[in-house]
């Protein structure tokens, strides 16, 4: 059995926190305002917030009975008895402390806007499946993930370099947001049956598998359409179109989500969606450095 803390952190999904910061750094380099200290702090803060969110999801889902033994996917630490709820909440606090330290430094560097982003991100992380009205149980997870792990993470990652958020970073944030949302959709396809059984009303449960599969394809292919349109119009650095080189990775992923029903295939599709976002993010970053 893997280390329960590593298991609960869900390493394959952490690329979702890294990719937007890398894209933002690429544009900052291209615009001549890159700060290595701001980049490092933003990266640490982003990863720490996602780890805290994953820890909080683990313990909150366990409390609501949303991680039964027959679920597809790796075991959850609290539901499996590998960690107690108290231990996991301590882990949540520790991860938020790390993100808080990074946030304090970035607030000194870039001002109160960073503090506001950090507070909003912490609230979003804690209320996804926790609190009295968890929005992840009401079909709103995809919307919040697009906003916080897509737009906020990418634009905020650029803002910390020189306290500005040029139009290009908002547009670069769109494919990042679409792909990170696709990661969540892949996760919810995997968990659709068990979520429905325990009353967890994710968007996938609400609209059904066929519509969810179509949504996944729209998000993945839509990210490449956005990149192509934005690059051709000059709204983002033209060399950002390098990210289109990752397109051949997309169709097999969409097919796998559509056809797979067994655990290993669905788990693999989830991991590969996260890797696709990273590849696209790195290519966007490289292209954004070229002006």
């Amino acid at each position: 059995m893997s280390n329960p803390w590593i298991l609960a952190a869900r390493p394959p999904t952490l690329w979702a926190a890294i990719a937007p910061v890398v894209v933002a750094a690429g544009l900052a380099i291209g615009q001549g305002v890159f700060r290595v200290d701001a980049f490092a702090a933003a990266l640490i803060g982003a990863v720490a917030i996602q780890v805290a969110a994953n820890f909080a999801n683990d313990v909150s889902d366990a409390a609501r009975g949303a991680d039964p033994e027959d679920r597809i996917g790796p075991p959850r630490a609290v539901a499996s008895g590998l960690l107690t709820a108290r231990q996991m909440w301590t882990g949540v606090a520790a991860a938020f402390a790390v993100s808080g330290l990074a946030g304090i430094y970035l607030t000194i560097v870039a001002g109160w806007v960073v503090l506001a982003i950090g507070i909003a991100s912490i609230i979003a992380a804690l209320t996804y499946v926790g609190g009295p009205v968890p929005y992840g149980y009401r079909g709103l997870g995809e919307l919040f993930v697009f906003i916080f792990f897509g737009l906020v993470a990418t634009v905020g990652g650029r803002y910390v370099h020189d306290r500005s958020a040029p139009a290009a970073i908002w547009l670069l944030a769109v494919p990042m947001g679409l792909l990170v949302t696709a990661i969540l959709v892949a996760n919810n396809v995997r968990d659709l049956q068990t979520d429905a059984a325990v009353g967890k009303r994710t968007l996938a449960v609400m609209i059904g598998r066929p519509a969810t599969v179509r949504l996944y394809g729209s998000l993945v292919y839509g990210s490449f359409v956005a990149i192509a349109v934005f690059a051709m119009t000059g709204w983002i650095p033209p060399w950002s179109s390098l990210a289109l080189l990752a397109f051949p990775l997309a169709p097999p992923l969409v097919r796998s989500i559509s056809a797979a029903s067994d655990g290993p295939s669905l788990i693999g599709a989830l991991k590969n969606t996260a890797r696709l976002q990273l590849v696209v993010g790195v290519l966007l970053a490289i292209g954004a450095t070229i002006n």
Side-chain angles (χ1 to χ4, degrees):
M1 179 65 67
S2 301
N3 182 299
W5 291 107
I6 295 176
L7 187 72
R10 308 179 196 179
T13 68
L14 295 182
W15 298 121
I18 295 170
V21 181
V22 171
V23 171
L27 185 63
I29 292 171
Q31 295 178 332
V33 297
F34 176 76
R35 290 186 55 159
V36 67
D37 59 333
F39 169 69
L43 194 61
I44 292 170
V47 172
I49 285 178
Q50 183 162 353
V51 169
N54 289 343
F55 285 174
N57 292 350
D58 191 302
V59 66
S60 296
D61 273 343
R64 295 176 183 273
D67 286 331
E69 292 183 2
D70 62 345
R71 69 180 294 276
I72 298 173
R76 295 295 181 233
V78 175
S80 300
L82 299 174
L83 293 170
T84 66
R86 183 171 182 175
Q87 287 175 313
M88 189 59 79
W89 281 119
T90 301
V92 172
F96 276 139
V98 172
S99 68
L101 290 173
I104 290 170
Y105 181 79
L106 290 172
T107 299
I108 295 171
V109 168
W112 67 268
V113 171
V114 177
L115 179 62
I117 289 173
I119 293 172
S121 298
I122 289 172
I123 293 172
L126 289 174
T127 56
Y128 174 57
V129 294
V133 188
Y135 61 85
Y137 281 62
R138 287 163 173 77
L140 295 175
E142 285 78 2
L143 175 62
F144 277 78
V145 163
F146 177 83
I147 292 172
F148 281 95
F149 284 94
L151 300 184
V152 172
T154 311
V155 176
R158 172 62 182 81
Y159 184 85
V160 298
H161 290 276
D162 70 341
R163 303 193 185 198
S164 73
I169 196 60
W170 289 94
L171 297 176
L172 287 168
V174 171
M176 285 292 94
L178 293 174
L179 287 173
V180 75
T181 305
I183 296 172
L184 178 62
V185 172
N187 179 83
N188 288 345
V189 168
R190 183 196 66 190
D191 294 342
L192 199 156
Q193 291 184 342
T194 52
D195 284 345
V198 300
K200 183 176 180 180
R201 290 180 56 77
T202 63
L203 183 60
V205 170
M206 295 170 68
I207 67 177
R209 182 185 172 97
T212 305
V213 169
R214 290 193 293 272
L215 173 61
Y216 177 85
S218 298
L219 292 167
V220 171
Y221 291 138
S223 68
F224 289 99
V225 171
I227 292 166
V229 171
F230 296 159
M232 285 189 299
T233 56
W235 295 341
I236 61 177
W239 280 99
S240 298
S241 59
L242 281 173
L244 298 177
L245 294 174
F247 180 78
L249 300 174
L253 273 176
V254 175
R255 287 195 297 269
S256 69
I257 285 289
S258 177
S261 58
D262 61 291
S265 296
L266 290 170
I267 293 169
L270 171 62
K271 293 179 179 179
N272 288 331
T273 306
R275 290 170 186 155
L276 174 64
Q277 190 204 15
L278 178 65
V279 172
V280 170
V282 169
L283 292 173
L284 281 176
I286 292 171
T289 65
I290 305 171
N291 280 323

